[in-house]
Amino acid sequence: MSEYKLSGVMFSEEQIKERVKALGRIITEDYQGKEVFLIGILKGSVPFMADLMRCIDLDVKIDFMSVSSYGSATHSSGVVRILKDLDSDIRGKNVIVVEDIIDSGLTLSYLKDYLIKRGPASFRICTFLDKPARRKVELHPDYCGFEIEDKFIVGYGLDVDQRYRQLPYISWVTTE
Ligand code: IMP
Ligand code: MG
């Protein structure tokens, strides 16, 4: 197994805080007078979800899903297995899927079809990070924290082999 080396700070705690606040303001404006139903994708979205929901000044409900995409530690295969489904019905709800990062787009593209079949009133995607250069399918987030280049990111929920999720800032790893 290869070893990963932690690099520097790509986005500081302060930069993350400011950006998440801004996203919360935009979502609050876009959904004025409505309730939003945030669906966090475990486990990577946990810090982002916790911060974002507190920056949205609307009626907010939350739920989580856990999915696994078969593949290696750093590359998903596009075959998605649902490990934990929603606890409640999303029919008629304004769904916003909250994700840590979009890479190939395969996971969210699958989830989008899966969730839209359940009849939400609206469906949008909010990702903290986006690596558009790596996309394998047409998929655009409606809200995005930062667009980044092709690096393997860790911190603020993101892991490599389950490590570094607890870092309060965004970093990346290199293989030695
Ligand atoms: P996609 O299906 O290729 O878009 O992959 C999405 C999932 O792969 C994300 O939700 C992450 O869990 C994981 N992933 C993709 N890129 C990274 C990364 O740079 N760091 C950590 N996890 C990543
Ligand atoms: Mg994820």
Side-chain angles (χ1 to χ4, degrees), residues 76 99-101 103-107 131 151-153 158-159:
S76 79
E99 180 59 305
D100 51 1
I101 191 165
D103 187 50
S104 69
L106 291 165
T107 309
K131 286 196 267 193
K151 283 189 170 154
F152 200 81
I153 302 300
L158 290 134
D159 72 300

Side-chain angles (χ1 to χ4, degrees), residues 92-140:
K93 308 272 187 202
N94 294 303
V95 165
I96 305 177
V97 169
V98 178
E99 180 59 305
D100 51 1
I101 191 165
I102 308 178
D103 187 50
S104 69
L106 291 165
T107 309
L108 268 189
S109 156
Y110 176 91
L111 268 186
K112 184 178 176 180
D113 291 346
Y114 182 80
L115 291 171
I116 282 177
K117 282 190 193 127
R118 297 186 182 177
S122 63
F123 180 91
R124 285 189 180 174
I125 293 169
C126 178
T127 188
F128 181 64
L129 298 174
D130 188 11
K131 286 196 267 193
R134 302 247 318 155
R135 207 69 96 249
K136 287 192 187 143
V137 287
E138 269 286 304
L139 186 93
H140 303 284

Side-chain angles (χ1 to χ4, degrees), residues 32-85:
Q32 268 309 307
K34 295 179 183 157
E35 181 186 286
V36 289
F37 192 95
L38 307 180
I39 301 177
I41 309 303
L42 295 169
K43 313 177 180 84
S45 73
V46 166
F48 180 41
M49 178 75 147
D51 289 342
L52 182 69
M53 63 191 269
R54 288 177 288 177
C55 295
I56 299 176
D57 189 15
L58 300 166
D59 281 335
V60 173
K61 288 191 176 147
I62 66 163
D63 203 345
F64 290 93
M65 284 181 83
S66 178
V67 302
S68 102
S69 68
Y70 295 101
S72 66
T74 55
H75 291 92
S76 79
S77 65
V79 183
V80 176
R81 190 158 55 114
I82 311 272
L83 303 177
K84 184 220 169 285
D85 210 326

